Amino acid sequence: MTYNQDELEAPAWLSDEFFCNVMRESNNDPTIELTSACVLRPGTNKGDHYASVMFRTTVKYRSTRCGEEKSVDIIMKTKPEAEGLKKELLEDDTLFAIEIDMYSKTLPEMARMLKEIGEEYKYPRFIYGTLKPRAILILEDISGQGWVMADYINSLDDMKPTVKDIAMFHAASVMIENSDPTFARRYAYAMGEKFSGFEGLIKKSFGDLMQLTASYSKFAHFAKPLEKFQANLREFYISLYDPSKTYQNVLIHGDFHYKNMLHKINEQGRHTDTILLDYQVCCWTSPAIDLYYLLDMIPTQEVKDNHRSELIYLYYQQYTDLLKRLGFLGKIPTMLDLQIELLGYAGLELVHYAIFSSMRYMDPTAIDIEAMLKGEIDNPVLNNPEFQKLMHIELTRFLHQGTLPSV
């Protein structure tokens, strides 16, 4: 097991006294005392996440209100203290503020609404969150309750719980916004600006594609369209996260990939349930962003190739059905409206392919994430025939559908 370097030693302020106070506050019980010391462990395996520092522990406690000892497994997110890109990206508290708001207010309200129509939206129980004196979010650690992280999902059936989760999330957010005029403003943070902090990675990834056009004649005709696409890439990426003017906006998860979810898996190896994690970049915008993550970051390439249209259709069916059952009285977009919206946002899929496709051919635990995000490491798969075949097929599709501008 390998861990992120900054999770090997917990900061001194994560002390028994701190956890005792957390338990007292979250249980509204000032008589709580710990019955044993809290031993902190690294939160995740190396490469499983980036935008925080995470630790786990078990808190055992007793109070005068309840004589018997209780215990709770918790997982906590804190801000990085070591100098570097991770610290720079999380310098302000916005992402922590968003996630605390999500877990303490928005997700409980979504779950309440969905429960009224017989649906269950699951999420880890919120225990504690604050920005001062230090930003921290504490949730119940559900990894001991049969929830596991999986790799890329390799069947359409196993994708269905994930599709349903994002449809529930989107539909419930529309209903909240419908009755709360402050909701969209609460999640109006300019997320594109935050992602533009990965400019080194984006430039390096498109530079790698340009290297393919220079090195292999079969890629040569993509050179000028790629140059043209890149000319306004920063502006395109930032504007992506503005509310859509052409489709019904939703609260997007925004970081919807296979490492930000856990699954229940039965004895036959089938996915029976899914739970989404990491709600720190949620914002009010087009669902097309989450849908390109759904296609590009969760299934295997084979599942995507064989079921691309079906996955979007499944999502649309679930989303519209949920809106009707929740009592939405506004205009519900058509399937054609959604397809047109997706085409308009397809530049994001091109960015996904440029940046993330090569990672499917690498060992994620062997990658220096910080160096990769700065665009400082060479792409070891540029000469891989399988990678080249995939990129040729997809660049051709982008050219033919107009996402790559014809010159």
Side-chain angles (χ1 to χ4, degrees):
M1 202 74 81
T2 56
Y3 300 107
N4 293 307
Q5 200 61 38
D6 52 11
E7 294 176 6
L8 295 177
E9 190 174 339
W13 59 272
L14 288 174
S15 62
D16 286 351
E17 181 186 7
F18 173 79
F19 291 117
C20 184
N21 289 332
V22 164
M23 286 297 112
R24 287 174 178 176
E25 185 172 324
S26 68
N27 290 281
N28 194 23
D29 183 351
T31 70
I32 283 177
E33 298 290 346
L34 300 193
T35 56
S36 62
C38 296
V39 179
L40 274 81
R41 319 183 289 282
T44 56
N45 296 334
K46 186 179 177 187
D48 279 353
H49 75 100
Y50 182 75
S52 54
V53 179
M54 299 177 73
F55 299 98
R56 297 176 198 263
T57 193
T58 301
V59 183
K60 296 180 179 178
Y61 61 95
R62 183 178 279 126
S63 83
T64 55
R65 293 182 189 173
C66 175
E68 63 191 44
E69 183 186 67
K70 292 188 172 182
S71 79
V72 60
D73 293 326
I74 61 173
I75 185 162
M76 64 214 83
K77 284 186 172 187
T78 66
K79 285 170 74 170
E81 297 183 356
E83 295 301 323
L85 179 63
K86 192 193 274 197
K87 187 177 180 185
E88 288 166 30
L89 289 169
L90 295 169
E91 200 63 63
D92 65 45
D93 290 332
T94 309
L95 299 192
F96 275 86
I98 290 170
E99 194 159 27
I100 290 169
D101 194 63
M102 284 298 301
Y103 276 107
S104 61
K105 295 176 188 166
T106 299
L107 292 173
E109 178 59 10
M110 287 180 169
R112 184 196 66 75
M113 294 171 112
L114 289 159
K115 190 177 181 182
E116 286 182 355
I117 61 165
E119 299 290 354
E120 187 178 12
Y121 188 85
K122 299 186 178 88
Y123 57 93
R125 179 164 64 95
F126 173 75
I127 289 176
Y128 179 82
T130 187
L131 301 179
K132 303 292 177 198
R134 298 175 184 88
I136 186 166
L137 170 70
I138 302 180
L139 304 170
E140 183 176 11
D141 180 4
I142 59 170
S143 59
Q145 298 170 23
W147 294 98
V148 296
M149 188 178 283
D151 206 331
Y152 293 107
I153 296 175
N154 61 14
S155 79
L156 178 64
D157 273 349
D158 286 348
M159 285 293 294
K160 288 177 181 176
T162 302
V163 173
K164 181 158 187 187
D165 260 24
I166 202 64
M168 285 198 289
F169 183 74
H170 287 175
S173 75
V174 169
M175 295 305 293
I176 296 176
E177 194 271 340
N178 218 30
S179 59
D180 177 359
T182 70
F183 185 72
R185 283 202 305 276
R186 263 172 45 210
Y187 294 102
Y189 183 66
M191 206 54 71
E193 291 280 4
K194 181 65 75 176
F195 285 126
S196 68
F198 300 124
E199 212 162 2
L201 171 64
I202 295 167
K203 278 186 175 169
K204 174 71 172 64
S205 301
F206 276 92
D208 288 343
L209 292 186
M210 295 307 292
Q211 196 176 319
L212 282 179
T213 69
S215 305
Y216 299 93
S217 58
K218 64 183 177 183
F219 284 94
H221 63 292
F222 297 123
K224 286 211 162 41
L226 279 166
E227 276 176 20
K228 208 168 175 182
F229 179 82
Q230 288 176 80
N232 302 307
L233 191 52
R234 183 183 169 83
E235 294 78 6
F236 161 78
Y237 211 80
I238 289 171
S239 67
L240 262 186
Y241 290 83
D242 293 339
S244 174
K245 295 178 176 65
T246 50
Y247 194 83
Q248 186 175 55
N249 289 295
V250 301
L251 187 69
I252 64 161
H253 180 281
D255 200 14
F256 186 44
H257 57 79
Y258 79 92
K259 287 185 180 290
N260 277 346
M261 54 190 67
L262 298 174
H263 310 274
K264 286 273 176 80
I265 298 177
N266 66 17
E267 288 174 2
Q268 289 73 44
R270 302 266 63 96
H271 290 219
T272 58
D273 206 353
T274 295
I275 196 167
L276 305 185
L277 309 169
D278 285 354
Y279 293 91
Q280 57 194 9
V281 295
C282 294
C283 67
W284 186 253
T285 184
S286 171
I289 295 173
D290 275 349
L291 294 181
Y292 277 125
Y293 274 87
L294 174 73
L295 292 174
D296 302 336
M297 308 290 211
I298 299 171
T300 60
Q301 187 67 36
E302 184 181 8
V303 168
K304 180 181 171 179
D305 289 344
N306 294 334
H307 302 290
R308 178 191 179 89
S309 297
E310 196 171 347
L311 284 166
I312 297 301
Y313 185 62
L314 278 173
Y315 161 83
Y316 177 78
Q317 283 183 309
Q318 297 268 12
Y319 173 69
T320 54
D321 176 60
L322 286 159
L323 275 185
K324 289 169 190 168
R325 288 162 57 203
L326 286 163
F328 182 65
L329 298 174
K331 182 179 180 292
I332 294 178
T334 66
M335 183 68 200
L336 181 60
D337 293 333
L338 179 57
Q339 292 290 8
I340 292 166
E341 183 78 353
L342 285 169
L343 196 57
Y345 279 73
L348 175 62
E349 187 172 36
L350 173 52
V351 172
H352 283 170
Y353 268 98
I355 295 174
F356 299 111
S357 292
S358 58
M359 293 181 198
R360 292 178 183 251
Y361 302 87
M362 300 184 218
D363 174 3
T365 63
I367 302 170
D368 180 339
I369 298 284
E370 178 118 347
M372 185 192 80
L373 292 174
K374 287 181 178 176
E376 292 175 351
I377 58 174
D378 287 331
N379 184 342
V381 303
L382 271 188
N383 300 318
N384 179 318
E386 269 187 63
F387 172 73
Q388 286 186 11
K389 182 182 176 186
L390 171 68
M391 293 311 296
H392 194 273
I393 290 169
E394 297 302 337
L395 287 172
T396 301
R397 178 168 67 86
F398 290 127
L399 188 65
H400 290 173
Q401 73 184 22
T403 305
L404 271 177
S406 53
V407 180

